[in-house]
């Protein structure tokens, strides 16, 4: 039996109980196909299979590699590349999967539409800019793009509009109002696009972990968003944890204390095992001073004793997606017994051993 303290570090661990609770909480609000979970959050077909098992069998992907890997894992019944690509080789590789799988590609320009058609892609979604300055056609040009796509023989399945700039608005009323305004644009685009397309044009796809429960079924606009693309919810991070969301932190990175001296300690977890774009990671009971390539330097709060060399320390990442993408596997633990500093790294007695590793999910969709 492998336990947390037996893992070579840095190591990613997931608390199975918290993961299951997060999955159940989401499935109660967005059951089955009303959620199109985003694979980019974890890049693991083993984890995606857990979501398919509770009924979420349509997935969102960010890269062609994620699409191809999902199909190879038998999870290709309805995959959306919610991202633009102009790579003809990868478009052709995705097109070759059609028949065995359903692959829909986001387009936001005549160029991306033309390339998709030339490379043999059949299904597309019009990606609309609803306020995040990233990909997405301007709302007033969505219908013309749909009509252009249809003229190329593409099947337009609907629209998507990712309101990523609104995920972390802390005031819920303000967030609700802003999301509603963004979705009003998207729904209007859908109605415009629908006029250009066939009966298969049904999808209005949006949202993420920060907005998953704002698509109020009694609101005439919000109720029309028929799928939500959340991904982080299953594992969480400290960035989303700071918001008032009903999901628990399930993913951590375990490190080992490699040095401890005059008031601070150092573990072997650093920039190369943590996504840092949302800031420093958190260690319960400690103040993180700084991260360098392979180190976190920290001190203990409230007079707590410094850990000893060899102790294991459980670190909460600030951003789940880029953290996981740096690791090869996720170790699934029955339950993480405590967060922060575990008593000992070398003592393997039950009292300090932490949770048992009960499964390993490869992060097999990493890279491009
Ligand atoms: C296109 C798209 N949809 C949905 C999401 C939502 O993901 P999360 O669950 O992290 O909010 C993202 C995140 O960046 C995204 O890029």
């Amino acid at each position: 039996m492998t336990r947390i303290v037996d893992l070579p570090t840095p190591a990613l661990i997931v608390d199975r109980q918290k993961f299951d609770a997060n999955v159940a909480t989401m499935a109660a609000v967005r059951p089955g196909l009303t959620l199109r979970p985003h694979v980019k959050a974890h890049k693991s077909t083993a984890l995606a299979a857990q979501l398919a098992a509770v009924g979420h069998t349509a997935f969102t992907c960010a890269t062609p590699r994620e699409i191809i890997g999902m199909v190879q894992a038998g999870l290709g019944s309805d995959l959306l590349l919610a991202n633009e690509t102009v790579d003809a080789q990868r478009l052709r590789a995705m097109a070759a999967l059609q028949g065995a799988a359903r692959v829909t590609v986001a387009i936001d320009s005549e160029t991306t539409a033309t390339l998709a058609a030339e490379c043999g892609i059949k299904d597309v979604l019009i990606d609309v800019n609803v306020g995040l300055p990233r990909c997405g056609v301007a709302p007033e040009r969505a219908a013309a793009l749909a009509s252009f796509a249809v003229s190329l023989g593409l099947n337009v399945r609907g629209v998507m509009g990712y309101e990523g700039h609104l995920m972390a608005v802390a005031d819920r009323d303000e967030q609700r109002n802003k999301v509603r305004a963004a979705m009003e644009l998207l729904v209007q685009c859908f109605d415009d696009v629908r006029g250009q397309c066939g009966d298969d044009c049904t999808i209005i796809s949006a949202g993420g972990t920060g907005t998953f429960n704002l698509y109020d079924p009694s609101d005439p606009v919000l109720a029309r968003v028929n799928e939500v693309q959340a991904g982080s919810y299953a594992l969480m991070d400290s960035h989303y944890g700071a918001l008032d969301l009903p999901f628990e932190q399930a993913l951590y990175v375990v490190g080992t204390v490699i040095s401890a001296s005059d008031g601070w300690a150092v573990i072997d977890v650093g920039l190369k095992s943590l996504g840092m774009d949302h800031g420093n990671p958190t260690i319960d009971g400690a103040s993180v001073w700084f991260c360098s390539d392979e180190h976190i330097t920290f001190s203990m709060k409230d007079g707590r004793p410094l850990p000893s060399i060899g102790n294991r320390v459980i670190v909460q990442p600030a951003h789940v997606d880029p953290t996981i993408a740096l690791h090869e596997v996720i170790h699934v633990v029955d339950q993480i017994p405590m967060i922060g500093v575990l008593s000992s790294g070398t003592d393997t007695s039950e009292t300090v051993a932490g949770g048992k590793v009960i499964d390993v999910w490869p992060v097999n969709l990493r890279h491009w």
Side-chain angles (χ1 to χ4, degrees), residues 35-302:
L35 185 79
R36 189 185 276 277
H38 211 317
V39 169
K40 80 183 183 73
H42 49 80
K43 289 180 175 282
S44 165
T45 53
L47 194 158
Q50 305 285 323
L51 306 180
V54 300
H56 309 303
T57 52
F59 288 91
T60 309
C61 296
T63 64
R65 183 181 172 91
E66 289 172 9
I67 296 268
I68 292 165
M70 289 289 283
V71 175
Q72 286 165 347
L75 293 164
S77 69
D78 188 353
L79 300 175
L80 166 65
L81 183 69
N83 201 3
E84 279 63 22
T85 178
V86 291
D87 184 326
Q89 201 176 338
R90 287 170 173 153
L91 281 164
R92 277 194 209 99
M94 291 189 290
L97 303 168
Q98 293 166 138
R102 186 159 200 192
V103 177
T104 302
V105 171
I107 55 168
D108 71 353
S109 63
E110 294 199 351
T111 308
T112 45
T114 303
L115 273 165
E118 282 174 3
C119 295
I121 294 290
K122 293 192 180 84
D123 292 318
V124 294
L125 212 58
I126 306 294
D127 185 3
V128 180
N129 177 357
V130 292
L132 174 71
R134 207 172 65 175
C135 298
V137 66
E140 62 277 13
R141 294 206 302 272
L145 179 59
S147 143
F148 178 74
V150 170
S151 77
L152 298 175
L154 292 165
N155 177 41
V156 177
R157 295 186 67 196
V159 297
M160 66 161 273
Y162 174 54
E163 73 278 30
H165 56 303
L166 303 177
M167 287 299 135
V169 177
D171 182 296
R172 282 303 258 182
D173 287 335
E174 182 191 345
Q175 189 187 37
R176 191 174 294 107
N177 292 338
K178 287 184 168 166
V179 168
R180 194 179 190 284
M183 293 305 111
E184 229 167 336
L185 280 177
L186 188 63
V187 165
Q188 183 57 56
C189 285
F190 176 80
D191 291 339
D192 298 345
V193 162
R194 181 103 205 245
Q196 317 296 319
C197 308
D199 289 346
D200 198 30
C201 184
T202 55
I203 296 176
I204 305 182
S205 194
T209 298
T211 59
F212 82 102
N213 55 0
L214 294 183
Y215 309 98
D216 180 355
S218 65
D219 181 290
V221 169
L222 295 169
R224 293 187 61 198
V225 173
N226 50 23
E227 50 179 63
V228 168
Q229 302 179 354
S232 303
Y233 75 96
L235 300 170
M236 293 293 283
D237 53 37
S238 65
H239 185 70
Y240 266 137
L243 302 175
D244 187 20
L245 294 169
F247 305 115
E248 295 181 85
Q249 182 68 32
L251 178 97
Y252 296 90
V253 180
V254 190
T256 305
V257 178
I258 55 169
S259 179
S261 49
D262 303 326
W264 69 86
V266 181
I267 52 173
D268 58 354
V269 173
L271 303 175
K272 290 181 179 169
S273 48
L274 291 163
M276 295 292 296
D277 58 313
H278 286 170
N280 276 341
T282 313
I283 300 174
D284 253 30
S287 301
V288 170
W289 290 13
F290 62 92
C291 300
S292 41
D293 279 2
E294 303 288 2
H295 308 104
I296 298 175
T297 299
F298 63 97
S299 57
M300 299 307 294
K301 285 185 191 157
D302 307 324

